[in-house]
């Protein structure tokens, strides 16, 4: 864990340094400058997300091809000078009857099978109808809505 802690400390220091540099760089900006910077950043993120989507399609295609080649060769593991790959299986579960799933969670109290995250949209709807969800509180967060013209 020493190496992991050192890595985390270095990452924390880098983030602090970048935050300080960004704060200093943006101190003199006006509203127009910030909007322009946000627009440019949004476009860069959109471009990167498109690239990531394209790369994932290529990755999926290559993995299918690798699986076919290895299955044809009757092997489940291969290696070259760059990487080692292995073909395996993983069991995943899909809900086919949500009522049964919820009944199981309710009767056992075992919420570990579900992601623990609130649906803000659903709770907002309940609150707007005058209701409340026990164990929750409304917190206002600042948010910048950005729309390209």
């Amino acid at each position: 864990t020493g190496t992991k802690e050192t890595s985390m400390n270095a990452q924390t220091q880098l983030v602090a340094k970048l935050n300080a540099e960004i704060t200093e760089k943006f101190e003199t900006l006006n509203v127009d400058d910030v909007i322009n910077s946000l627009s440019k950043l949004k476009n860069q993120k959109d471009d990167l997300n498109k690239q990531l989507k394209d790369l994932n399609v290529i990755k999926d295609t290559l993995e299918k091809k690798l699986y076919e080649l290895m299955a044809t060769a009757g092997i489940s593991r291969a290696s070259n000078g760059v990487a080692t790959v292995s073909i395996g299986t993983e069991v995943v579960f899909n809900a086919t009857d949500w009522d049964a799933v919820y009944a199981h969670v309710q009767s056992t109290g075992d919420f570990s099978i579900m992601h623990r995250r609130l649906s803000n949209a659903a709770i907002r709807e309940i609150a707007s109808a005058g209701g409340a969800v026990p164990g929750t509180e409304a917190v206002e967060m600042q948010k910048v809505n950005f729309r390209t013209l």
Side-chain angles (χ1 to χ4, degrees), residues 98 102 104-106 108-120 123 135-136:
W98 280 106
Y102 294 138
H104 168 80
V105 169
Q106 189 173 23
T108 64
D110 182 10
F111 286 86
S112 69
I113 67 169
M114 305 190 66
H115 289 279
R116 294 184 180 187
R117 157 177 83 228
L118 295 174
S119 168
N120 286 314
I123 295 175
T136 65

Side-chain angles (χ1 to χ4, degrees), residues 6 13 26 28 40 47 57 70 73 76 126:
T6 303
Q13 290 174 352
F26 291 160
T28 60
K40 183 177 177 183
D47 290 344
V57 168
M70 291 175 70
S76 62
I126 292 167

Side-chain angles (χ1 to χ4, degrees), residues 42-97:
K42 180 185 178 304
N43 290 335
Q44 289 173 332
K45 284 180 64 176
D46 290 347
D47 290 344
L48 288 173
N49 283 328
K50 167 94 171 73
Q51 289 177 23
L52 183 59
K53 185 177 178 181
D54 293 344
L55 289 173
N56 281 330
V57 168
I58 294 168
K59 177 182 173 268
D60 290 345
T61 302
L62 288 171
E63 286 178 349
K64 287 177 188 173
K65 182 63 175 177
L66 181 64
Y67 181 79
E68 290 171 10
L69 291 169
M70 291 175 70
T72 300
I75 57 175
S76 62
R77 185 178 176 92
S79 184
N80 67 9
V82 176
T84 299
V85 295
S86 61
I87 303 296
T89 60
E90 177 182 28
V91 176
V92 295
F93 297 89
N94 293 319
T96 58
D97 182 350

